[in-house]
Each structure stands twice: as structure tokens, then as C-alpha cells.
Amino acid sequence: MRHWNHRLKIYGRIMDEGYLQKLFACSTMTSNKQTKEGNRQMAESILVVDDEQEIADLVEVYLQNEGYTVHKFYNAKDALNCLDKITISLALLDVMLPDMDGFSLCRQIRQKFYFPIIMLTAKVEDMDKIMGLTVGADDYITKPFNPLELMARVKTQLRRYTRYNTAGVTQEQGEEIDIRGMHISNISHKCMLNGQEIALTPLEFDIVWYLARKRGKVVSSEELFEAVWGEKYLDNNNTVMAHIARIRDKMHETARKPKFIKTVWGVGYTIE
């Protein structure tokens, strides 16, 4: 307990100290449940990259308490070297790193890997959030953050990623859609455009699939967000817009004259 009190002083910037103490007591009472969950999740490895050692250490504690294997680094170079040696299930990237900003690191990871990426940022400007989503991040969380919220987002992204990679086993046949040269299969979780595969992340695929299933109907940003992300939509949420822009970029389409995902201004998006 003395060791925990020491950590509470260090991590005061992240959460209220009294709340953390209550949380620690609660986690002690539920340790048996967490141990069972940990045995189920041990195969999943999480990459944590944050130059603030105290924050990285705290995130590591919570992830390990949930049963995940954690690979922790304080700079981008070491993190990139790790990716060639270890299979990663999800990455948590800080925006401000000593050798490379988190956006650039995210962009380099996306050149080879499609596991979920959550950005940890101390910046609150919308443009910073949009930038992270545009370069390939799946989600972001702003510092100071509640570690329980971070754990919930990690689990949500991993569920989507796991469903994506096991789709061929769990999905029934016949779940395929063809739209003017675009072939989408919910069996293989692949999207082909004129015979060429589009390298979509699991979340991007879910967006395209949902719009394709609603073909001819206008889907609001609120409906799309709540259906794909499974969270309550908040006003001024630019997450959907940023992901649509990235999908269009992969399809080599412009926002002004898209062939597939069209914007109905003030209403939402549609695939005709």
C-alpha cells in the first residue's frame, strides 16, 4: 500500500487522488475476476509509447491488471524496432515524443500494420484530433484521462479487431455487396475496388460496410458513429468526418466529386 501511495502522488495529474484510492480498493476486491479475464487476454499484446515515464507506467499497470502483455517504450525509434519482432494487437501512442511526433509514428505504423491505434494527447484542439484520425488512428483520448475510460476504449477496439480477423469463421456466407466496381465482403472483411484491394483498417471497413448496407439512404453522422463506434454521439464530433476523408483518400476520390461515399451537407453520408 505504501508503494501505491507513492504512485498516487506521481499520477495526480491524471486523476483525482481520492478516486484512485477508491479504485485501488475496488480493484483489490475484484482481483479474482480480473485474473480470469487476464488468462483469456494474455495473448493480446499492447504497445505503449509515451515519453512521460510516470504516465506510461500507470497505463502499463492498468493494462497488466486486465491481463494484457505490455511493451512499453519512451520514444518512437524503439517502438518501431519492436514491431518487427513482436505481434502487436493494439497501440497507445502519445502525440509528443522526443524523436518523432505521434502523428508521424502512426503514419509509419499504418504503412505495414492495421491493428487499432489510440492516440494519447494533451492537446484539445479539434485539428489535432482530426490530424490523428486522418493519419490512421482509430480513436483518441485527451490527457488528463480516466484510466478506466482508457481501458474501456482498448477493449472496444480489440473486440472490433478480433471480429475483423475471425470474420471468415464466424460470419455466414452470402454477406457480400457489389456497387459499381466496388465489392465488399463481410466474410473476408475485404473491400475491392475495380479488382484492387483497398487496405482498410477494421474500423474503416465497418464504416464502408454500414453505408453499403444502407445504400440509397442518407446516414447521419450520429447514426454512423453510434452504430460503428458503439458510443453516444456528442455535438461537434469530427471523428466520422476524419475517417470518411481517410477512406476517400484510399479510394483516390475527392470530397467534391466522390463516386461512392457522398456527403449530403447538413444531413450525413450516403452510398448510392
Side-chain angles (χ1 to χ4, degrees):
M1 189 66 186
R2 185 177 303 171
H3 176 64
W4 182 261
N5 285 333
H6 174 68
R7 286 196 166 187
L8 285 177
K9 295 177 182 179
I10 295 175
Y11 305 144
R13 290 176 297 129
I14 301 178
M15 289 184 62
D16 174 74
E17 190 168 308
Y19 181 74
L20 269 175
Q21 290 174 329
K22 294 177 183 177
L23 186 60
F24 174 70
C26 179
S27 66
T28 301
M29 290 186 293
T30 58
S31 59
N32 291 335
K33 178 181 178 181
Q34 291 169 337
T35 299
K36 293 180 181 179
E37 292 179 351
N39 292 334
R40 176 175 55 83
Q41 297 168 333
M42 274 309 283
E44 294 177 311
S45 296
I46 311 296
L47 175 67
V48 177
V49 190
D50 196 317
D51 66 332
E52 294 187 80
Q53 183 174 346
E54 295 86 357
I55 294 178
D57 288 348
L58 177 66
V59 172
E60 179 183 35
V61 167
Y62 273 86
L63 288 170
Q64 289 178 340
N65 203 37
E66 291 291 339
Y68 299 111
T69 299
V70 180
H71 302 278
K72 179 179 61 178
F73 300 97
Y74 306 122
N75 62 71
K77 180 180 178 181
D78 290 342
L80 288 171
N81 290 335
C82 160
L83 293 177
D84 293 326
K85 305 171 185 177
I86 300 171
T87 300
I88 297 296
S89 302
L90 179 144
L92 300 171
L93 309 180
D94 183 33
V95 171
M96 305 299 291
L97 296 172
D99 54 344
M100 179 190 303
D101 66 78
F103 300 136
S104 298
L105 175 57
C106 179
R107 188 180 292 109
Q108 287 200 28
I109 291 174
R110 276 290 174 254
Q111 292 176 1
K112 296 175 61 177
F113 304 98
Y114 297 101
F115 51 74
I117 296 175
I118 300 176
M119 304 297 296
L120 307 177
T121 173
K123 299 182 177 182
V124 296
E125 292 83 358
D126 285 343
M127 286 307 300
D128 291 307
K129 297 175 182 177
I130 293 173
M131 173 65 75
L133 297 173
T134 301
V135 298
D138 297 280
D139 199 0
Y140 60 83
I141 189 165
T142 304
K143 299 177 182 178
F145 56 82
N146 182 330
L148 291 182
E149 179 185 356
L150 178 60
M151 293 304 104
R153 295 195 182 198
V154 166
K155 292 176 183 178
T156 296
Q157 292 296 333
L158 284 173
R159 280 196 299 269
R160 177 179 288 113
Y161 186 58
T162 301
R163 186 177 75 246
Y164 180 94
N165 286 323
T166 59
V169 177
T170 60
Q171 295 292 336
E172 297 181 357
Q173 293 187 0
E175 297 189 16
E176 299 184 352
I177 299 175
D178 284 289
I179 303 175
R180 301 191 314 277
M182 180 171 67
H183 178 82
I184 315 166
S185 172
N186 203 27
I187 301 171
S188 63
H189 264 76
K190 290 184 178 180
C191 181
M192 309 291 291
L193 185 59
N194 299 321
Q196 299 294 319
E197 182 178 353
I198 305 172
L200 299 177
T201 67
L203 194 147
E204 291 167 350
F205 178 88
D206 284 350
I207 292 173
V208 176
W209 179 255
Y210 190 84
L211 290 173
R213 288 184 59 202
K214 299 280 187 174
R215 182 181 180 183
K217 299 180 180 179
V218 180
V219 179
S220 68
S221 294
E222 179 178 0
E223 177 186 345
L224 188 56
F225 183 86
E226 294 185 355
V228 175
W229 275 262
E231 299 176 12
K232 184 66 177 176
Y233 181 84
L234 301 176
D235 291 337
N236 300 320
N237 190 326
N238 294 308
T239 303
V240 172
M241 180 183 68
H243 278 87
I244 292 292
R246 181 165 174 78
I247 294 169
R248 284 174 175 159
D249 183 62
K250 291 184 176 184
M251 291 181 170
H252 304 292
E253 291 197 325
T254 63
R256 292 186 176 182
K257 292 184 178 181
K259 179 180 178 182
F260 295 102
I261 303 178
K262 299 183 179 181
T263 301
V264 180
W265 296 106
V267 183
Y269 302 94
T270 184
I271 291 181
E272 297 178 344

